[in-house]
Amino acid sequence: MNPSVAALRERFGGAVTRSFESCGDTIVHVDATRAIEILRWLKDTPGQDYNYLADITAVEHRDGERPIEIVYELFSLTRKVPLRVKVELPKAEELAVDSAVPIWAGANWLEREVFDMFGVTFRGHPDLRRILMWETYAEGYPLRKDFPLRGRFSRSEQVRQALNANPEAHYSMEELAIANVAHELPAEIRDRLARGQRGVIPDPEGGRG
Amino acid sequence: MKTVSPHGSENWLTTKMTSLVDWGVNWGRANSLWPMPFGTACCAIEFMATAASRFDLARFGMERMSFSPRQADVLICAGRLPFKLAPVIRRIYDQMPQPKWVISMGACASSGGIFDNYAMVQGIDTVVPVDVYVPGCPPRPEGLLYGIGLLQKKIKGETFRDAAIREEHPLDRRGLSMAPERIDELSEPFGNSVHQTRSA
Ligand code: SF4
């Protein structure tokens, strides 16, 4: 068992709910409300030095009663020691934890992925958008157990929404640096840029643009 | 293959001239196809092997990979196409000037392959029109070369008098390339994926 567990129990007491070893890895379950505090302590305390966040992911168990777990894979680059920290989120309550971005900037995209796939919100995340699916994706959270393998919509509806998702939608005209000449663009290009703005799915019969 | 335009007169000389011009134009087109490689997955590795020295795509006039769609003749979709890439391949196809053709390389591009799931287009023919399907997972380079041979054969059968084959078909008002029912039909699960959602 990783000695960090004993240190955690001594420092945080009841906030460490469970700890065990599995396949040579030490796993610590901590209280959701104090997770960020504990992660920061694990990173900044001399002797712990878990300065590398390898991954954030989530687990939903087949047993519907069990909570969703958020998994933080930590690694100490100086001591070459891994540690797995888990936070449990009961499904009946709001699926939300505090963001780890203030501690590790690299948590940004990892948390976006968990949000995209499991629908867990990270409070205080600077830019919580979908990352793997496109931004207007409306079918839900694909890695949840109640999500059908082929998605919720018919194939034609999926193709329609995908084809209407403007790949350039993330960029505004200003960001594209053509705003000042936008009126000189051919009508077709202007139409394309205007269509499918962020967060908007055109309705089926209303035409585009 | 040949549909005669209503304006074409049918005398012996024009027919001869037409087929002569067709022969010349098609010979040129078929033997200088510039591919636009759209490599999204494992099939692209096999495509690279096809382009490398052992199989040497250049023998068939495809020396120059055209990484700009505006100078390309044939779009080769090598690999699976997730829904997120659907507007991208459509944009690339729309940017290619006529004449243009599409080869769908591999099981995934042709039918979704083993990925009958929420993220994958079930065959790129629901997004862009396809001329040649190359089966296999992945197709061997010989398979792709055979597919290219088929495409060349198809090109050699075209005639400039049939203007319809060079017509552009932009997406319709809904943003689709064909009727929704047709897309649903093309995307139906088949083979083993019929049982895919069965709970073990
Ligand atoms: S057909 Fe096979 S080799 Fe080709 S992209 Fe699909 S899985 Fe990969």
Side-chain angles (χ1 to χ4, degrees), chain B residues 40-44 46 78-80 105-109 112-115 136-139:
Chain B
T40 50
C42 6
C43 273
E46 215 66 10
R80 61 195 86 103
M105 177 182 179
C108 289
I114 56 172
F115 302 99
C137 179

Side-chain angles (χ1 to χ4, degrees), chain A residues 20-21 46-47 51 53 58 60 65 68 75 89 91 98 103 105 115 118 123-124 126 146 149 152 165 176 192 207:
Chain A
F20 58 100
E21 204 164 344
N51 45 8
L53 174 70
E60 182 179 12
E65 306 289 300
I68 288 186
F75 190 75
L89 300 176
K91 283 194 210 161
D98 289 326
I103 313 177
F115 166 71
F118 290 90
R123 288 186 222 101
D146 59 1
L149 180 61
R152 294 189 205 281
L176 284 171
R192 223 169 58 197

Side-chain angles (χ1 to χ4, degrees), chain A residues 62 117 130-135 137 139 142-143 147-152 154-168 192 195 204-208, chain B residues 83-84 86-88 90-91 95 115-122 126-127 170-177 180-181 183-184 187-189 193-197 199-200:
Chain A
R62 202 170 188 180
M117 291 289 133
R130 285 188 182 273
I131 185 168
L132 294 176
M133 309 310 287
W134 59 100
E135 287 182 35
Y137 187 72
E139 292 180 58
L143 289 193
F147 190 88
L149 180 61
R150 296 195 178 94
R152 294 189 205 281
S154 71
R155 286 298 188 195
S156 53
E157 179 63 11
Q158 288 172 339
V159 171
R160 188 186 73 79
Q161 296 213 353
L163 282 177
N164 278 292
N166 186 350
E168 286 141 17
R192 223 169 58 197
R195 160 169 78 91
E205 299 311 324
R208 322 204 245 127
Chain B
F83 282 119
K84 202 174 176 181
V88 177
R90 185 67 211 192
R91 177 81 51 89
Q95 281 175 339
F115 302 99
D116 188 10
N117 61 21
Y118 65 93
M120 216 57 68
V121 173
Q122 298 301 302
T126 56
V127 177
L171 296 180
D172 62 15
R173 285 174 67 255
R174 295 168 304 228
L176 291 177
S177 60
E181 300 76 36
I183 292 181
D184 284 335
S187 312
E188 286 268 302
S193 58
V194 173
H195 307 294
Q196 192 168 298
T197 44
S199 186

Side-chain angles (χ1 to χ4, degrees), chain A residues 55-59 69-73 110 113-114 118 143:
Chain A
D55 199 7
I56 300 180
T57 182
V59 180
E69 293 171 350
I70 312 291
V71 188
Y72 298 85
E73 301 280 357
L110 302 175
E113 189 180 341
V114 174
F118 290 90
L143 289 193

